[in-house]
Amino acid sequence: MTTVLRPHHSTGSDTVSFARQTWAGLRVLLVLTVVLGLVYPLAVTGVSQLLFRWQADGSLVSASGEHVTSAEDPVGSLLIGQSFDGPLWFHPRPSAAGDGYDTLASAGSNLGPLNPDLVATIDERRTAVAAEEDVDPESVPADALTASASGLDPDISPAYAELQVARIARARDISEQDVRALVDTVTVGRDLGVLGEPRVNVLRLNLALETLGS
C-alpha cells in the first residue's frame, strides 16, 4: 500500500503559536535587559561605592601617599604605571602602550619572541639598563627589558627594584641600607600565598622614597 504525502498548509493556529513564542522571547529579552543591563550594574556600583569607594574610584593617591577619591589632586593610580625618569627615582618596566602608559592605547607590542625588532629592542634596553645601574648586562631582570601585555603594569619585580638601589642611594646621598629597607616595606608577596609573584608598586615606592629623602 502506498502512502501519499500531502503538503502541509499553514493554519491560523500556527500563526498564533508563532506570535506567542515571539512575544515570550521578547518578554525574556526585556526582563534580562532590565536586570542585567540596569539593576545589576547599579547594584554593583552602589555596593562598591559604599564598601570599596577608593578602589572603585581608581585607587588614586596624593603626593603624601594618602588615598583620595576625587580626581582633583592625585599624583597617580596604584593600578596604572607611569614614567619616572632620572637617577633619583625607581624606574618602571617598559611600556608599549602608545607613547608609554597611555590608557587609551593599552596593549603589548604583539611581537613574537623571535621577532628581530623585539630582539633588537631588548638588547638595547639591556645595554642601557646595565650602563645606568653599573651592573653586568646578564644580571638585568626580564621585567626591565619587556613590556607587559597591557602596557600599564604598575609593578616591578623585587629583583629589578634591588638592581636600582645603589644608583638611587648615590643620587640621593642616602645609604643603600635605608633604600633597601624601603623596598622591603612596600614589597607585596604572592596573593593568598600562592598566586602570582612578589611585586613592588613603583608609584608607592617612589612616594615613600620622597618622604625618606626629605
Side-chain angles (χ1 to χ4, degrees):
M1 179 177 178
T2 302
T3 301
V4 179
L5 298 177
R6 303 187 179 206
H8 174 73
H9 297 283
S10 297
T11 64
S13 61
D14 293 331
T15 302
V16 171
S17 177
F18 176 76
R20 287 177 176 173
Q21 293 175 11
T22 300
W23 175 233
L26 289 175
R27 286 198 306 252
V28 171
L29 176 62
L30 179 62
V31 170
L32 291 178
T33 298
V34 172
V35 172
L36 300 180
L38 184 63
V39 176
Y40 177 73
L42 288 177
V44 171
T45 301
V47 171
S48 64
Q49 285 294 317
L50 181 63
L51 301 179
F52 309 102
R53 185 180 179 189
W54 176 67
Q55 293 89 337
D57 288 345
S59 298
L60 304 177
V61 292
S62 66
S64 62
E66 296 178 348
H67 295 180
V68 294
T69 55
S70 69
E72 296 178 359
D73 298 312
V75 295
S77 167
L78 296 181
L79 301 178
I80 299 176
Q82 57 182 284
S83 296
F84 285 94
D85 299 320
L88 296 174
W89 305 104
F90 282 93
H91 298 164
R93 68 182 302 178
S95 171
D99 293 330
Y101 299 102
D102 183 354
T103 57
L104 298 180
S106 175
S109 66
N110 293 327
L111 300 178
L114 299 181
N115 184 282
D117 292 336
L118 179 61
V119 172
T121 298
I122 289 176
D123 288 341
E124 291 174 4
R125 289 171 178 165
R126 189 190 308 276
T127 301
V129 171
E132 183 176 36
E133 308 299 345
D134 192 23
V135 297
D136 187 330
E138 295 302 318
S139 67
V140 179
D143 58 317
L145 307 175
T146 57
S148 64
S150 68
L152 306 177
D153 193 348
D155 304 320
I156 58 176
S157 66
Y160 189 23
E162 171 62 28
L163 192 75
Q164 303 181 64
V165 165
R167 183 249 304 163
I168 290 173
R170 289 193 303 269
R172 290 181 175 264
D173 194 24
I174 54 181
S175 71
E176 291 186 23
Q177 182 179 358
D178 288 342
V179 179
R180 190 168 290 111
L182 195 65
V183 172
D184 291 339
T185 62
V186 299
T187 298
V188 178
R190 293 180 173 88
D191 295 334
L192 302 178
V194 294
L195 300 177
E197 294 293 333
R199 59 197 182 276
V200 182
N201 187 278
V202 178
L203 176 58
R204 190 187 295 279
L205 179 57
N206 280 330
L207 291 178
L209 181 64
E210 187 71 352
T211 301
L212 179 66
S214 61

